[in-house]
Amino acid sequence: MPRILMCPPVYYGIEYEINPWMNRAQSSNRALAIEQWTALRQLLEDAGAEIELLSPEPGLPDLVFTANAGLVYQRQVVLSRFKHPERQGETPLDRAWFESAGFVCSDPPQDLAFEGAGDALFCGETLFAGYRRRSDARGVQQIAEQLGVQVLPLELVNPSFYHLDTCFCPLAPGEAIYYPAAFDDYGRRVIEATVPTLIKVDAHEAAAFACNAVVVGRRVITNTGCPKLQEELARHGYDPVATPLGEFLKAGGSAKCLTLRLDGEEAAGWRVSA
Ligand code: ARG
């Protein structure tokens, strides 16, 4: 059964600004955030996922974005080392949760920032890793070496698409969604040469976080406002579902960021072949 880690947005809010989407003057409505999060959780359960919960903590408003807790690989987790001090208090809570769930935890190489599944996503056997904004290129190289997997580092050139999961979403081995303008020429060529089936998202839908999709089986859950992506997904045999997540866009997050797949993403070769 697909297992997904989520954290209820009880203490969620816009309390600092660490990406271009965040503006303290545009605070979030907590009741609406809880409603949107609960609807997402329900959709994931309807898709057949079992939801595990990380306890929310006052003073850590971004703890809801469990994608950033770490990178899961089989029974191992490489925990995050957040770039911004505002989020560094999350790691001890993430570590405690993973240890109690029986995962073997490790830390990113000394002094290097790494933000977990926000920046590192398996598509088939390959780990695609975003760097520059939140994760260091050298760190993702060393993490891949430690796990014994092949990595393709991708530079994130647009500050609004600061985590890889805001502009790239593996759907299955050899299939992904991406927003080309978030990458440089080299990154685009790497993606185009290594992922045979690609669905491109336009600037308008990318800004609605179209690439920040959660994939459970053939179901693909995103924020609302991505009708072209939904059409393309349906054409490729997927079952797209949209749910409003506007309260989380205010923090620079959406569906995918609010989840962490614990048994391996749908597209991860190591899960599929397990
Ligand atoms: N406010 C959070 C941050 O800037 C949002 C994180 C979104 N998570 C993600 N995986 N893209 O760190």
Side-chain angles (χ1 to χ4, degrees), residues 12-14 16-19 22 61-62 65-68 82 84 87 90 115 117-119 134 162-166 209 212 248 250-254 256-259:
Y12 170 69
I14 312 301
Y16 45 75
E17 298 171 6
I18 57 171
N19 69 52
M22 300 177 91
D62 279 338
F65 297 113
T66 50
N68 300 123
F82 285 96
H84 297 288
R87 293 197 66 183
E90 297 179 27
E115 299 200 355
D119 269 336
R134 296 299 187 85
Y162 59 93
H163 275 141
L164 183 64
D165 70 1
T166 65
F209 276 69
N212 202 245
F248 299 99
K250 293 175 180 174
S254 187
K256 175 62 200 298
C257 311
L258 291 167
T259 67

Side-chain angles (χ1 to χ4, degrees), residues 113-161:
F114 175 65
E115 299 200 355
D119 269 336
L121 297 165
F122 284 96
C123 190
E125 301 302 328
T126 304
L127 185 63
F128 289 78
Y131 68 90
R132 175 168 165 185
R133 307 275 155 204
R134 296 299 187 85
S135 298
D136 289 302
R138 267 194 310 138
V140 296
Q141 299 271 16
Q142 292 182 40
I143 288 164
E145 223 165 277
Q146 177 196 320
L147 298 177
V149 300
Q150 187 203 322
V151 66
L152 291 176
L154 300 168
E155 182 170 357
L156 303 178
V157 299
N158 183 330
S160 293
F161 299 92

